[in-house]
Amino acid sequence: MKRITLYVISFIIFILGDNILEIVGWHHRDFTSLFIYRVYPLFYIVIGLLVYYFIIGKITVADLLFRMKNELTYLSICFGIVIYGQLTKNSNPMSWFLDSLVIPCIILIFLRITDKKILNDFKKWMYCFFFLNAGIAVIEKVSSRLLFLKESPWYFDYFRSTALFGHPLNNALIMSVLTIILFLATKETYLKMGVLLAGMLSIFCFGARGALLGVFGAILLNIILNALGFTKEPSRNIKSGLMYLASFALILIVVISFTSLGDRIAGLAHVDESAEARVGSLNILQYVDLHDLFWTGISLSKIDMLQYLSGVEIIENFYIEWLLNFGLAVTVILIVSLIRFLYCMMHNIGADIKLPILFTLIAVSSSNNSLATSTYVITILVMAYYVFLDFKVLEVKKVPTDNILYESLPY
């Protein structure tokens, strides 16, 4: 992937979130709009690029079969699920499914054929994108005014920022995952603290307690894994980890006690209606036919009817959404495939970094339904990991001609 292509794709991912798409007329959140608008414009771009790279020979079938087995396997499962959804006449999830789960795999294929220097130079821009979204979140919270929308399309008891990626919980999921990756990948102490501070402040502005717990738990898990010997310098890493954990706690106390950024978290530190709604989503399952629940899933109209019968206004749990859309069998296959895809992608780093990243994604996404909507979180995870922690480039190892001549000479 050329430099300009990487920058254009990155601009679309990090800047053209739901709020900006709404402004430019791509009504992504409108359920009455045509299917073409329900899918992120990035999907059409990456599919076109993939076809183009195959035509010019930049990517070959041999590459996929022998050097990109992880990507090919995951992509095959995803498209298999899409076909299965069509065969069972349950095509509810196809738009968000393509956005959230298919795009990341194609982006990874592009990254693997991108020059190392280009990826290395891109690091500073990823920091810029991160601090930009955090800054917008803080400005919106302090001014109690959304910068890109006249008013929030979602009702909340407290004002919550929507920044670039639309829904506050989707923003919080993206920022928590990006925070932990940049935190673990950054070596400079001041920049590391800056990442932690910006990430936490933005999460406060989004009013997402689950995201705060996810980042805290990931740092704690990193310390525990270092203590168990999953690193080259356990003593040093444990000390620094404890320092950052203490900093996390200090920021938490200061923000809640002396600012208005954490008003929702401070005011709702107990089990409230939001938490009850997530648990209450389970009530809808008692009305679902067992055959549909295990195998085919149910239609969108039937889901609406079951929500009415069970008194569930919003299904705030992506596991329940997946069960209703796919059925238990396919949901299990999808979850295992996604975790395996990300785990295998990170095979070149230690468990002390790999597991905290996966923990953050799983823990924070489990606290809301963002993974059952269109979100860039996994795409951003893939990009951030590959740029900061492992930017190995797909290349054919060539044996030097001199060595061949030397080895062929008689002794």
Side-chain angles (χ1 to χ4, degrees):
M1 184 160 54
K2 293 183 177 180
R3 186 183 301 272
I4 185 63
T5 307
L6 174 63
Y7 280 67
V8 169
I9 287 178
S10 301
F11 178 83
I12 294 172
I13 292 171
F14 287 96
I15 302 299
L16 295 185
D18 282 357
N19 283 347
I20 304 299
L21 286 177
E22 193 70 23
I23 291 174
V24 300
W26 193 282
H27 302 299
H28 188 261
R29 290 192 295 257
D30 187 356
F31 290 96
T32 63
S33 61
L34 296 175
F35 180 83
I36 186 174
Y37 295 111
R38 297 297 310 284
V39 179
Y40 279 138
L42 180 62
F43 178 75
Y44 305 111
I45 294 172
V46 296
I47 290 295
L49 275 175
L50 189 63
V51 172
Y52 172 72
Y53 284 148
F54 267 108
I55 291 174
I56 66 173
K58 187 76 172 179
I59 300 173
T60 65
V61 174
D63 292 332
L64 293 176
L65 290 175
F66 300 107
R67 300 184 184 90
M68 299 183 184
K69 293 179 182 178
N70 182 39
E71 292 84 347
L72 179 60
T73 301
Y74 176 72
L75 207 54
S76 299
I77 292 172
C78 284
F79 281 114
I81 291 174
V82 171
I83 295 171
Y84 181 78
Q86 297 297 322
L87 293 176
T88 57
K89 299 185 179 181
N90 177 21
S91 57
N92 302 339
M94 295 308 107
S95 57
W96 69 261
F97 186 89
L98 298 175
D99 287 337
S100 303
L101 302 176
V102 174
I103 288 177
C105 187
I106 301 176
I107 292 292
L108 180 58
I109 292 174
F110 293 162
L111 291 173
R112 294 199 60 197
I113 60 171
T114 303
D115 184 79
K116 278 185 179 182
K117 187 178 185 306
I118 294 176
L119 293 175
N120 197 43
D121 292 342
F122 186 69
K123 287 182 179 180
K124 58 181 178 291
W125 291 105
M126 194 159 284
Y127 280 117
C128 290
F129 291 137
F130 172 78
F131 286 113
L132 174 64
N133 198 49
I136 292 173
V138 173
I139 292 172
E140 288 184 337
K141 185 67 175 177
V142 171
S143 63
S144 295
R145 184 175 66 87
L146 301 178
L147 296 183
F148 304 108
L149 301 174
K150 291 182 179 179
E151 59 182 21
S152 175
W154 309 282
Y155 171 76
F156 303 111
D157 293 329
Y158 290 80
F159 179 87
R160 299 165 81 170
S161 304
T162 62
L164 293 170
F165 297 106
H167 197 286
L169 295 182
N170 182 34
N171 267 287
L173 176 58
I174 290 172
M175 291 301 284
S176 60
V177 169
L178 198 49
T179 295
I180 202 64
I181 294 177
L182 296 183
F183 174 80
L184 294 174
T186 302
K187 302 301 180 184
E188 297 83 355
T189 302
Y190 290 113
L191 183 55
K192 204 178 187 76
M193 281 301 301
V195 166
L196 185 60
L197 177 62
M200 286 189 65
L201 289 179
S202 67
I203 292 171
F204 273 115
C205 297
F206 301 131
R209 291 161 294 172
L212 277 177
L213 292 174
V215 174
F216 180 87
I219 297 174
L220 181 61
L221 179 60
N222 177 256
I223 296 172
I224 294 172
L225 292 172
N226 286 330
L228 294 176
F230 289 93
T231 183
K232 294 179 180 179
E233 299 178 315
S235 178
R236 179 182 176 183
N237 289 335
I238 292 171
K239 290 178 182 178
S240 62
L242 290 172
M243 181 190 73
Y244 291 118
L245 205 61
S247 301
F248 185 103
L250 180 61
I251 295 170
L252 186 69
I253 294 170
V254 169
V255 171
I256 291 179
S257 302
F258 302 103
T259 75
S260 62
L261 297 181
D263 52 5
R264 179 181 184 272
I265 294 172
L268 300 173
H270 56 282
V271 177
D272 61 356
E273 292 181 0
S274 178
E276 291 175 355
R278 292 184 178 92
V279 177
S281 298
L282 293 170
N283 293 333
I284 201 171
L285 297 180
Q286 64 183 318
Y287 296 97
V288 183
D289 180 82
L290 284 180
H291 178 271
D292 294 339
L293 184 62
F294 276 90
W295 298 110
T296 62
I298 58 180
S299 66
L300 186 59
S301 58
K302 194 171 182 180
I303 291 176
D304 291 337
M305 182 185 69
L306 294 181
Q307 283 185 243
Y308 174 78
L309 290 174
S310 59
V312 176
E313 186 176 349
I314 300 174
I315 304 175
E316 296 190 26
N317 186 315
F318 89 89
Y319 295 110
I320 305 299
E321 289 267 20
W322 285 18
L323 275 173
L324 295 176
N325 282 317
F326 303 115
L328 180 61
V330 175
T331 296
V332 171
I333 292 173
L334 182 56
I335 291 174
V336 172
S337 299
L338 176 59
I339 294 174
R340 180 187 177 279
F341 165 68
L342 295 174
Y343 188 87
C344 291
M345 177 190 73
M346 296 187 282
H347 71 282
N348 284 319
I349 60 174
D352 59 314
I353 294 179
K354 181 190 310 184
L355 294 183
I357 293 173
L358 290 176
F359 172 84
T360 305
L361 175 67
I362 295 170
V364 180
S365 63
S366 296
S367 68
N368 58 65
N369 67 339
S370 293
L371 282 185
T373 64
S374 290
T375 174
Y376 278 132
V377 64
I378 300 175
T379 300
I380 290 174
L381 187 159
V382 167
M383 289 192 69
Y385 160 76
Y386 206 80
V387 169
F388 282 94
L389 295 169
D390 180 16
F391 45 88
K392 284 195 170 184
V393 179
L394 175 67
E395 57 185 10
V396 179
K397 293 183 179 180
K398 296 181 180 180
V399 180
T401 308
D402 293 341
N403 290 350
I404 296 176
L405 292 174
Y406 178 79
E407 290 174 4
S408 64
L409 292 175
Y411 290 100

